[in-house]
Amino acid sequence: MDNRTFARLLEETADLMEIDGADSFRIRSYRRAAEAAEQTTLDLSAIAGDAARLLEIDGIGKSMAARIQAIAATGTLEQRDELLRKYGAGVLELLKLPGMGPKTVALLWDAGVIASGDSDSPSSNSIDQLAAAIEAGRLNGLPRMGAKQIEKLRKGIEDYRRSAGRFRIDVADEQARQIAAYLKKFPGIERVTPAGSLRRGRETVGDLDLLATGPACAAGQTGPAVEHVAAYPGLHDMIARGENKVSFHVEQGLQVDVRLLPGESYGAALQYFTGSKAHNVALRQRALKMGLTLSEWALAKLDDESVVVAAATEEEIYAALGMEWMPPEMRENLGEIERSAQHDLPRVIEAADMRGDVHMHTTASDGRSSIREMAGAALECGYQYIAITDHSKNLAMTNGLDEKRALEHIRKIHEVDRAMEGRLRVFAGIEVDILADGALDLADEVLAQMEVVIASVHTRFEQSREEMTARVLRAIENPYTRILGHPTGRLLLRREPFALDTGAVLKRAAELGVAVEHNAAPERLDLCDRDLRLAKELGCKIVINSDSHDARNLGKMGYGVRQLKRAWLTAEDVLNTRDAKGFLALLRARP
Ligand code: DGT
Ligand code: CA
Ligand code: CA
Ligand code: ZN
């Protein structure tokens, strides 16, 4: 069990206790313990047996150490399960709606808007109940439930239902890693590879497709291996169990399809289950024209399917079809099949091409690490430079910098830069807020001293398309703006992009020589793959950044690189694949 699971269970218990009106001091001890579990670098499940070591962690006292031991032993907390039985499993989902905290849930409970379902009711039960109550006007007149709040809830439910059932790429990735590690513990399972949308690097994943191979997966002998899959500790419920395929849900709700395959058809299966469906359909047509048939088992002769042409690796299959192997991110039938057949595929960017990361936050605003810690993490990534870009004062809740603090911060950044003695360049920068009218949040004289000025929208998302477009255009017209940060403001599965004429903004950014960002934080991935294609077509300068708020997050750049691959971008198209000097020169260049 990873620390995040401990943190989640403790946090959920705190939420449920708050709904239940428990003593606020006790609730706070759960939240502090959850925070501690999230922050600590110790592996909680590994040290759970040793109460003394748990007690050394800041924020964990005697009673919380006992709770952590209970979680390690049972995978859950009795307090939490008891409250879930009382309020219904759906209340945890209810808490995911924007503007919905434990206090509001308690209010809805007291008013009889939500009631606990029987134990086998679907988990979305509470959300359905709330939607029905809004529809029937039964929220009107409840305390703190003005028309605006009710409308916000209605919209929140709509968004939630649209994205329900999909999962962020980093969440799916982490699950895939955990399950693969477990599967490989079985002696006859040698290799586990994610396929489907996760392998193609899609920003969200519907279900997880995992392919397993090895001697234990040979045809007719899969019994014990299937047994092992079915015993996965993170399994929540079994969906279907056959000789070659086991489907189940993990506790977080994600569906997992594990397929057990003999080594000789592994390449064919990997190709087939990676998809996309559209890519596979076009590929099969090409095979037919060549007198071949392509299935999840093999590429074979059409007139005699027992004659296998290629099956063991993807490379052999594509080669037998007269094509080059291509990265899974490109397999969406958007021209890659034709280009590959002409041996004219672009060499798309790779994570190893990155030389720097120029958007990250420190403890000066809402980050959790120091400038030095960020620099240390950047060295581990093999980077040559970073830029420290904390928030500006308009974002008060992030402790954003005003002019005075910003100048002081520049000095500290330059200090670290000097201390790195050339091993890493540390640029002074800022993520300056774009105010409601498009003005930047800090004075020109201060911006003029920064090497990297990112301008971003963080407030007033509800503006009309005209207002928002004018606002962003004005911000990029500012001569100090070098990069437009997370241009559409979306939060995957949580907040739609704001209304914006993206085409007009990208076109103007290209004219002005202002770079546009692909923000690689897995909750953003903004610009999306389609807009990235457009940005390239329009001749925009493109930068990709991790937007890390913690030194441990710099590695998440990889999720963004995969979106760039999906957009067919090359290292050449991206500014921060250049060395420090080349990057700065390109960033400053005006057409
Ligand atoms: P997802 O799960 O919605 O994020 O997207 P995928 O692409 O992972 O879709 P999924 O899990 O339904 O199927 C995985 C791959 O298996 C898919 O990319 C292509 C292949 N596949 C599944 N069903 C079919 C089918 O009916 N025809 C073809 N040609 N391929 C299929
Ligand atoms: Ca899938
Ligand atoms: Ca699937
Ligand atoms: Zn931002």
Side-chain angles (χ1 to χ4, degrees), residues 359 361 391 395 431 456-458 485-486 517 519 524 547 549:
H359 183 168
H361 300 261
H391 287 292
L395 274 194
E431 184 182 18
S456 309
V457 169
H458 293 109
H486 45 71
E517 177 181 75
N519 189 297
R524 292 192 183 274
D547 191 3
H549 286 65

Side-chain angles (χ1 to χ4, degrees), residues 370-566:
S370 66
I371 303 169
R372 274 172 196 275
E373 286 166 335
M374 292 313 233
L379 283 175
E380 275 174 34
C381 292
Y383 292 154
Q384 298 174 3
Y385 54 96
I386 54 172
I388 302 294
T389 55
D390 278 291
H391 287 292
S392 64
K393 61 180 186 284
N394 185 48
L395 274 194
M397 77 262 199
T398 70
N399 189 27
L401 307 172
D402 59 16
E403 279 78 0
K404 185 156 165 279
R405 287 182 61 218
L407 290 172
E408 176 64 14
H409 199 40
I410 294 176
R411 211 181 48 70
K412 287 187 189 147
I413 296 167
H414 285 161
E415 241 172 60
V416 176
D417 181 46
R418 278 192 297 278
M420 299 307 290
E421 296 180 322
R423 285 176 300 147
L424 183 83
R425 289 299 322 273
V426 184
F427 299 135
I430 190 92
E431 184 182 18
V432 63
D433 234 47
I434 300 178
L435 303 178
D437 63 358
L440 299 187
D441 186 29
L442 289 179
D444 288 354
E445 310 86 82
V446 175
L447 296 178
Q449 301 193 40
M450 309 271 187
E451 275 116 5
V452 175
V453 174
I454 305 172
S456 309
V457 169
H458 293 109
T459 57
R460 298 288 302 275
F461 299 113
E462 73 287 356
Q463 286 181 338
S464 72
R465 184 176 153 104
E466 290 68 35
E467 281 175 308
M468 187 60 91
T469 304
R471 173 184 183 185
V472 174
L473 285 174
R474 180 170 172 214
I476 62 174
E477 296 282 349
N478 186 307
Y480 294 102
T481 302
R482 302 285 178 201
I483 300 172
L484 176 61
H486 45 71
T488 76
R490 73 168 177 179
L491 290 179
L492 283 165
L493 309 178
R494 261 172 51 208
R495 188 172 73 210
E496 296 292 311
F498 42 67
L500 180 75
D501 186 344
T502 313
V505 167
L506 294 179
K507 189 160 166 281
R508 189 68 188 132
E511 287 165 7
L512 292 163
V514 168
V516 293
E517 177 181 75
H518 172 76
N519 189 297
E523 66 270 26
R524 292 192 183 274
L525 299 176
D526 179 11
L527 298 166
C528 69
D529 48 9
R530 193 196 51 232
D531 288 342
L532 281 167
R533 276 191 176 221
L534 180 62
K536 175 173 176 163
E537 272 168 38
L538 293 170
C540 289
K541 298 194 283 199
I542 295 165
V543 173
I544 169 171
N545 292 319
S546 73
D547 191 3
S548 292
H549 286 65
D550 189 308
R552 289 175 295 186
N553 287 352
L554 267 77
K556 295 193 180 175
M557 183 79 103
Y559 294 117
V561 172
R562 302 192 64 187
Q563 305 311 306
L564 267 58
K565 291 169 95 163
R566 292 177 57 79

